[in-house]
Amino acid sequence: MSRLVLVLGDQLTEEIAALRAADPSQDIVVMAEVRDEASYVRHHPKKIAFLFASMRKFAERLRGAGWRVLYTPFDDPENAGSICGELLRRADETGATEVLATEPGEWRLIETLRHCPVPVTLCEDDRFIASHAEFESWAEGRKSLRMEYFYREMRRKTGLLMEGDTPAGDKWNFDHENRKPAPDEIANDGPPRFDPDATVEEVLDLVEREFASNFGDVRPFWFATDREQALGALDHFVTRALPCFGDYQDAMLDGHRFLYHAVISPYLNAGLLSPLEVCWAAEAAWRDGRAPINAVEGFIRQIIGWREYVRGIYFLEGPDYTARNALGHDRRLPDFYWGARTHMRCLAQSVAQTREEAYAHHIQRLMITGNFALLAGVDPAEVHDWYLAVYADAYEWVEAPNVIGMSQFADGGIVASKPYVSSGAYINRMSDYCKSCDYAVSRKTGEGACPFNLLYWHFLDRHRERFEGNPRMAQMYRTWDRMDEDRRRTVLREAGAFLDRMEAGETV
Ligand code: FAD
Ligand code: DLZ
Ligand code: SF4
């Protein structure tokens, strides 16, 4: 009796556990573009197009490798509209009575599969370096779950940048050499841009028709949509950008959306690239003298450190993680996150880039859109929905710990030891946004004062009870307390007035 083998849109590799456990001579692969998955948040059209095109090409690849694949396009009149609906329909059609699947990256879909009318066997998704059990045993009994210590375990486990038992270059972390402010000149022209082929064009037309009202531009479309192209993107990064990756990791420039970032997260998360092959390529560049250790260590840390760590947190913390709101924030997400006008250049630029590319790099996500939402006290559930929708690499396992935990401190400090908040001074140091902003970053109060300068103190003041005992924040509170009483009152009044104007829908 044949079984159905479910392959989800972010499981596009022949190495996926369910395919490894199946038999191509008997079992039947099921892939489906379904409304439920395409609309649980209002995904960016580029994200949907990337996944549908990559799914279609992967289905062809599997057929070429001898698999029987039942593929349901989005506009198929028979499309049941959900993953379980499609499994049921295909089970009726083929007589199959069981399904093999690889564990999805969201609790929502795991629950759905557990309750699917056709029995589903879930295989653990072993595309990651740490299994659930390994992460749980690392976390067991620890007072705090700091990424740095987990990362060292992953270095030992993988042998990446290790010389026997010692880290290459005698240090685990080279961050003090990284994070320089934005340079005047950028020698990298961004990721390679792949011209849409016939499969991609067909999907772009479909997405234009079906998701016209979603935030984001579907064209021009340039993402890689198959493994060969994704490998090309990786090679392009290693050759052209990796050598400067560390130096300018935290920089932001108006005219340079990608700087020296890899722009490979959509490919890694969808299965077109594997985390280890990406790290091996970076390590080889260091060993051959093509990239310095600070860049390569910083890059590898993002993948075997942060990426693995956030996944561990998501599954350790359970399905209620996305509902956490430790700071009790309840403001609506301002309309300028969806493209409405704002005078704040840093936000306008980050959102415009997000609309056009379905991509923003880490510091834009953390220190511009994330920082503002946290300072302004936006409901973290709304912030979470926004990030899950607008980035081509967003799936809950990776997005939620970054947003709920790292960016919004809504998990109460599991991921971050202190909130990532800053005034305009940090943004000015790391970017050139302030030069063309309607606000003045140098102004702390009064006409034209940078809103980040006002909201920063407003945030610290309203959360004083929670944070003043945090040693990493003591200096901030000392600075606030040293300001004279009048000045503090003015800052709080002006911050409150700014928030009121924003809430009333004025362009701020
Ligand atoms: P690079 O800067 O070149 O880094 C290389 C790789 O390291 C990335 O491709 C990614 O796979 C990995 N990486 C780096 N930082 C992280 C991190 N914090 N968590 C997990 N992986 C990391 N990443 C996602 O993949 N999906 C998301 O939905 C997502 N949401 C985020 C939300 C917020 C608020 C923040 C602060 C970060 C988020 N990140 C997310 C992490 C990071 O911003 C992106 O992985 C990165 O910007 C992707 O671009 P890149 O490939 O050019 O990355
Ligand atoms: C994100 C997404 C979208 C937009 N569409 C589909 C789809 O039509 N079919 C599918 O199999 N997967 C899709 N996905 C990816 C799933 O939502 C993803 O597998 C889960 O969120 C778990 O990570
Ligand atoms: Fe952003 Fe303030 Fe700089 Fe304007 S002045 S770009 S609002 S940090």
Side-chain angles (χ1 to χ4, degrees):
M1 176 69 80
S2 57
R3 296 170 296 183
L4 301 180
V5 188
L6 175 67
V7 176
L8 292 165
D10 54 352
Q11 301 179 341
L12 307 180
T13 164
E14 281 128 308
E15 297 305 312
I16 202 75
L19 282 175
R20 292 205 325 269
D23 175 357
S25 68
Q26 285 196 22
D27 299 326
I28 304 165
V29 174
V30 173
M31 296 180 71
E33 300 167 5
V34 291
R35 189 162 293 280
D36 270 13
E37 293 312 304
S39 61
Y40 63 86
V41 286
R42 288 166 66 81
H43 302 284
H44 194 298
K46 266 202 173 79
K47 176 183 182 186
I48 302 176
F50 162 66
L51 274 185
F52 286 6
S54 304
M55 285 170 71
R56 288 180 187 200
K57 289 190 181 184
F58 185 65
E60 278 313 308
R61 188 182 184 96
L62 288 180
R63 286 189 183 114
W67 289 91
R68 182 175 168 208
V69 182
L70 297 177
Y71 190 97
T72 312
F74 193 78
D75 50 4
D76 182 335
E78 306 285 307
N79 192 325
S82 68
I83 295 294
C84 269
E86 277 297 291
L87 289 172
L88 201 53
R89 186 168 78 87
R90 296 305 195 181
D92 280 351
E93 191 179 305
T94 59
T97 52
E98 51 173 313
V99 176
L100 266 180
T102 309
E103 184 184 73
E106 301 195 1
W107 288 110
R108 170 191 63 80
L109 198 50
I110 293 176
E111 283 308 305
T112 307
L113 290 181
R114 280 185 184 148
H115 296 103
C116 190
V118 200
V120 178
T121 303
L122 283 182
C123 311
E124 179 157 353
D125 188 349
D126 54 9
R127 282 177 292 170
F128 295 86
I129 293 150
S131 65
H132 294 327
E134 277 175 300
F135 193 84
E136 280 159 23
S137 96
W138 173 77
E140 176 91 45
R142 284 175 193 263
K143 267 214 215 91
S144 70
L145 302 180
R146 292 293 157 245
M147 194 286 296
E148 186 63 30
Y149 298 107
F150 170 74
Y151 163 58
R152 293 180 191 178
E153 296 287 309
M154 295 298 100
R155 286 274 294 277
R156 290 192 186 96
K157 178 172 180 188
T158 58
L160 280 159
L161 296 181
M162 296 298 291
E163 312 283 2
D165 289 340
T166 40
D170 285 330
K171 267 192 308 208
W172 291 104
N173 183 317
F174 286 79
D175 247 3
H176 72 278
E177 293 173 30
N178 290 341
R179 314 198 151 160
K180 300 186 173 68
D184 292 334
E185 289 294 318
I186 295 288
N188 176 38
D189 49 5
R193 304 172 85 84
F194 299 93
D195 287 336
D197 55 24
T199 306
V200 176
E201 279 297 348
E202 199 180 330
V203 166
L204 296 181
D205 290 344
L206 168 88
V207 171
E208 268 174 336
R209 254 189 343 266
E210 296 283 345
F211 302 95
S213 64
N214 286 21
F215 167 84
D217 303 342
V218 71
R219 292 176 197 271
F221 185 91
W222 51 264
F223 284 134
T225 47
D226 59 40
R227 176 146 170 85
E228 284 66 35
Q229 291 179 343
L231 283 170
L234 171 62
D235 185 55
H236 182 98
F237 163 68
V238 171
T239 314
R240 304 197 195 190
L242 178 63
C244 291
F245 173 84
D247 289 352
Y248 303 117
Q249 210 178 329
D250 285 10
M252 297 173 279
L253 279 176
D254 227 338
H256 288 274
R257 296 172 168 188
F258 308 102
L259 296 146
Y260 293 102
H261 291 277
V263 199
I264 55 166
S265 48
Y267 315 142
L268 273 169
N269 297 351
L272 300 182
L273 293 176
S274 88
L276 272 178
E277 76 184 339
V278 162
C279 293
W280 287 331
E283 185 185 40
W286 171 66
R287 295 207 183 270
D288 304 348
R290 286 177 284 132
I293 186 84
N294 67 309
V296 173
E297 185 282 315
F299 178 73
I300 287 178
R301 176 158 24 93
Q302 305 312 310
I303 307 227
I304 67 168
W306 279 110
R307 186 170 184 271
E308 294 287 327
Y309 167 84
V310 296
R311 178 173 184 267
I313 295 286
Y314 179 74
F315 283 104
L316 187 72
E317 290 299 312
D320 81 325
Y321 187 74
T322 53
R324 301 207 188 155
N325 188 357
L327 302 182
H329 284 171
D330 59 4
R331 203 175 290 281
R332 271 190 49 237
L333 189 73
D335 290 343
F336 52 76
Y337 278 78
W338 299 110
R341 212 165 97 75
T342 167
H343 296 292
M344 292 178 278
R345 179 71 196 164
C346 52
L347 273 154
Q349 206 288 339
S350 301
V351 171
Q353 166 181 337
T354 299
R355 186 181 56 228
E356 285 166 33
E357 312 285 12
Y359 175 85
H361 64 70
H362 188 73
I363 292 303
Q364 293 172 308
R365 298 188 206 197
L366 187 63
M367 298 313 291
I368 306 291
T369 42
N371 186 13
F372 185 87
L374 178 57
L375 292 177
V378 177
D379 181 346
E382 287 207 24
V383 184
H384 157 64
D385 276 358
W386 184 79
Y387 278 97
L388 191 56
V390 301
Y391 292 114
D393 57 20
Y395 306 91
E396 223 176 72
W397 67 265
V398 54
E399 173 274 338
N402 272 300
V403 173
I404 296 289
M406 190 187 314
S407 162
Q408 300 301 296
F409 207 83
D411 66 3
I414 296 170
V415 171
S417 55
K418 76 173 185 52
Y420 280 95
V421 284
S422 83
S423 66
Y426 170 85
I427 296 170
N428 191 36
R429 188 164 67 249
M430 300 312 293
S431 80
D432 62 356
Y433 296 147
C434 304
K435 286 184 190 152
S436 48
C437 184
D438 292 347
Y439 293 103
V441 71
S442 56
R443 237 171 264 165
K444 312 285 189 249
T445 55
E447 185 66 26
C450 165
F452 283 83
N453 291 344
L454 297 168
L455 295 177
Y456 177 71
W457 297 119
H458 193 267
F459 173 89
L460 288 180
D461 185 69
R462 70 179 190 267
H463 292 299
R464 178 160 205 142
E465 212 175 303
R466 177 181 280 268
F467 293 125
E468 76 175 331
N470 182 329
R472 298 189 61 201
M473 297 180 75
Q475 181 56 42
M476 301 171 184
Y477 280 102
R478 275 198 293 276
T479 309
W480 178 232
D481 290 342
R482 271 201 303 271
M483 280 184 214
D484 73 50
E485 177 75 25
D486 265 5
R487 189 169 172 75
R488 272 186 278 150
R489 246 187 267 139
T490 308
V491 168
L492 295 181
R493 192 185 62 246
E494 291 187 9
F498 173 88
L499 291 172
D500 288 347
R501 286 203 309 282
M502 185 177 87
E503 195 91 338
E506 274 182 44
T507 299
V508 290

